[in-house]
Amino acid sequence: RKQVQQTSYSTGPKQKFRPSEAKQIIRETLKSKLDGKTYPAAINDAHSYMKNIAEEIKKSLRSLPLQRYKFIVQVIFGENKGQGVRTGCRCFWDQDADNCAWEQYQNKDVFCMAG
Amino acid sequence: KSQILIQNMDTLDGDEAQFTNEEVDKIMIETIEGQLKDATYEESKVTQWVNDICEETMSKLVAQGKPYKFIVTCTIVQKFNSSLHHTTSCHWETGDNVHTVIWPPPGTRSKDQQNKHLSCLLS
């Protein structure tokens, strides 16, 4: 009699990335970091705002129960002067397992997009 | 057919399978200049520009045949005497990379290269 051994590797993630969850996280982070804030006068302050936001979002995403996923968080931040801004994104990945989530925030002084 | 495919993948080792910064930079700048050289910011055209730049960059990167997934983001801003900041925070492994290009390149003085109406950020 031959013993049949079952394969022990998985070809896909056990739990998939859900964009709605990520959008919620991003929205809350942007709101908590930028509500009532004005555009900082010093460039270093603007840098640290953004780094803070990006790190915070990445940390929250890593705390989700998603194994073996890589995360890329992009933050675009600027002064709200009524100028036109347009962002587009194209991705070449595995449609079953990979996804993206973008959110934007603006108040009268600043705008921010994160995804 | 599947045997030939496997052979092709085997020939990509270490260095060949990686992108150099120069390669990616060249692809990105060529694409942007092709679309935006001498252009003025126009609300009606900007969506098309963003789409075209993303599509073209993506197809050129994929055509290199390297074993990577790609994410291309393009932002076009109207020049309005304001500043824009962009940051990327990543959780990945060694071998993965991000390359960002600003156009027109900061510090260019020649009138040919400087576009007074818009800026493009491609990563």
Side-chain angles (χ1 to χ4, degrees):
Chain A
R1 259 200 205 170
K2 259 189 181 175
Q3 255 191 340
V4 177
Q5 282 189 332
Q6 279 195 331
T7 51
S8 59
Y9 57 84
S10 56
T11 52
K14 290 198 174 90
Q15 192 159 11
K16 291 194 184 163
F17 175 76
R18 284 197 290 245
S20 49
E21 256 177 51
K23 276 192 173 193
Q24 181 70 12
I25 291 174
I26 298 171
R27 203 179 307 136
E28 281 168 7
T29 312
L30 290 181
K31 207 163 155 38
S32 67
K33 296 279 173 187
L34 296 174
D35 247 353
K37 291 275 194 326
T38 54
Y39 191 75
I43 284 206
N44 286 338
D45 287 345
H47 283 175
S48 61
Y49 267 26
M50 280 210 316
K51 272 193 196 167
N52 216 322
I53 294 173
E55 288 294 319
E56 192 72 35
I57 294 175
K58 191 176 76 176
K59 225 165 64 177
S60 316
L61 289 172
R62 285 182 60 188
S63 69
L64 292 174
L66 295 167
Q67 287 178 350
R68 306 287 308 277
Y69 267 96
K70 297 180 184 179
F71 295 108
I72 296 162
V73 178
Q74 292 205 359
V75 179
I76 298 167
F77 174 75
E79 194 178 358
N80 191 351
K81 269 190 170 178
Q83 76 272 45
V85 181
R86 175 71 67 170
T87 301
C89 170
R90 283 289 182 285
C91 311
F92 181 76
W93 55 29
D94 178 353
Q95 211 179 349
D96 280 333
D98 301 329
N99 221 317
C100 68
W102 281 90
E103 271 295 321
Q104 60 189 23
Y105 171 88
Q106 66 176 357
N107 64 26
K108 61 180 175 61
D109 291 305
V110 302
F111 71 87
C112 185
M113 290 179 269
Chain B
K1 218 183 182 181
S2 56
Q3 276 190 338
I4 300 168
L5 206 70
I6 293 167
Q7 228 174 13
N8 279 339
M9 298 243 326
D10 277 341
T11 57
L12 283 177
D13 57 4
D15 292 334
E16 280 181 356
Q18 289 191 339
F19 275 105
T20 59
N21 274 343
E22 290 82 22
E23 276 176 346
V24 183
D25 205 62
K26 192 164 164 246
I27 289 175
M28 287 161 92
I29 295 198
E30 268 173 15
T31 310
I32 298 175
E33 288 196 340
Q35 292 285 335
L36 297 180
K37 204 163 176 119
D38 299 329
T40 316
Y41 187 92
E42 271 172 75
E43 193 64 39
S44 51
K45 286 192 185 165
V46 74
T47 316
Q48 191 59 42
W49 283 333
V50 165
N51 281 338
D52 290 344
I53 290 174
C54 285
E55 294 277 333
E56 220 181 295
T57 314
M58 184 62 89
S59 40
K60 283 183 182 170
L61 287 170
V62 170
Q64 302 286 314
K66 310 235 167 141
Y68 281 101
K69 293 180 179 179
F70 300 102
I71 298 171
V72 177
T73 315
C74 173
T75 306
I76 296 184
V77 195
Q78 190 180 16
K79 263 208 179 142
F80 218 75
N81 205 22
S82 63
S83 51
L84 184 83
H85 299 266
H86 176 247
T87 192
T88 313
S89 173
C90 311
H91 175 64
W92 54 29
E93 57 184 21
T94 35
D96 296 332
N97 212 342
V98 64
H99 191 77
T100 313
V101 157
I102 305 170
W103 187 88
T108 45
R109 289 179 195 279
S110 97
K111 273 190 182 167
D112 297 336
Q113 287 183 327
Q114 203 175 49
N115 188 316
K116 296 189 178 69
H117 307 280
L118 56 82
S119 286
C120 177
L121 196 112
L122 182 63
S123 73

